[in-house]
């Protein structure tokens, strides 16, 4: 397995993974997530892959086929009235192909992102995880993440 910055040639496989991760969310919360959709269009993906503030990394197999990705966003609250001026790397989306789960692709991708965040002097790394995805929660807890804040809802 190799992990590298995503390139335009990875877009078709990234799109397939975007549908997979959306389906996990759809199965958990069909009231919120539509079936068979993806978070980003092909044009949005092209723009994201060119944006240095939104690095995307892919895990590839021996044939250079994308088997996982991590979409990241650099965040900083300069001049905020209450928040410290720290640099955060936010993991917007992390997905491993359903045929490659359980063989530590996700852990390798996550560690790559952690190392990247340290290299660019981030204070912390954050992400959101849907409570309808208990396996993702367990995965992130196993990686050492702890809750920072909790989102709550009441369906009306």
């Amino acid at each position: 397995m190799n992990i590298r910055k995503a390139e335009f040639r990875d877009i078709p496989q990234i799109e397939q993974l975007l549908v997979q991760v959306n389906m996990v969310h759809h199965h958990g919360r069909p009231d919120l997530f539509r079936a068979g959709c993806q978070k980003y269009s092909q044009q949005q993906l092209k723009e994201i892959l060119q944006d240095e503030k939104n690095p995307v990394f892919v895990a590839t197999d021996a044939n250079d086929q994308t088997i996982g990705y991590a979409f990241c966003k650099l965040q900083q609250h300069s001049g905020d009235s209450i928040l410290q001026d720290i640099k955060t790397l936010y993991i917007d989306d992390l997905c491993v192909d359903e045929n490659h789960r359980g063989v530590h692709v996700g852990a390798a991708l996550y560690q790559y992102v952690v190392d990247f965040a340290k290299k660019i002097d981030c204070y912390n790394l954050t992400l959101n995880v849907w409570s309808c995805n208990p396996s993702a929660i367990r995965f992130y807890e196993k990686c050492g993440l702890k809750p920072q804040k909790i989102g709550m809802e009441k369906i009306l």
Side-chain angles (χ1 to χ4, degrees), residues 23-39:
M23 288 307 294
V24 169
H25 294 133
H26 169 71
H27 289 301
R29 289 295 304 265
D31 58 323
L32 298 179
F33 293 94
R34 297 177 184 169
C37 298
Q38 64 188 52
K39 187 173 185 172

Side-chain angles (χ1 to χ4, degrees), residues 49-152:
L49 295 184
Q50 295 178 78
D51 186 350
E52 291 300 316
K53 291 184 179 181
N54 294 308
V56 179
F57 304 102
V58 291
T60 59
D61 65 13
N63 299 316
D64 203 35
Q65 298 297 301
T66 299
I67 57 174
Y69 65 66
F71 280 77
C72 304
K73 294 183 178 189
L74 282 166
Q75 299 175 333
Q76 196 157 4
H77 301 283
S78 310
D80 191 273
S81 62
I82 62 168
L83 296 175
Q84 296 287 352
D85 187 10
I86 59 171
K87 185 167 35 171
T88 297
L89 188 64
Y90 171 70
I91 298 177
D92 182 47
D93 205 3
L94 191 149
C95 177
V96 174
D97 181 89
E98 58 195 1
N99 298 314
H100 292 88
R101 292 184 188 148
V103 293
H104 309 294
V105 174
L109 258 172
Y110 173 78
Q111 189 57 54
Y112 189 91
V113 170
V114 168
D115 293 342
F116 174 80
K118 287 178 180 177
K119 187 171 110 180
I120 62 169
D121 296 319
C122 286
Y123 171 76
N124 61 352
L125 184 136
T126 63
L127 57 82
N128 292 324
V129 60
W130 287 90
S131 62
C132 65
N133 191 350
S135 64
I137 294 169
R138 284 190 303 277
F139 168 75
Y140 292 123
E141 288 174 340
K142 200 171 172 183
C143 289
L145 284 110
K146 307 234 180 290
Q148 181 188 49
K149 58 185 171 184
I150 298 172
M152 301 175 80

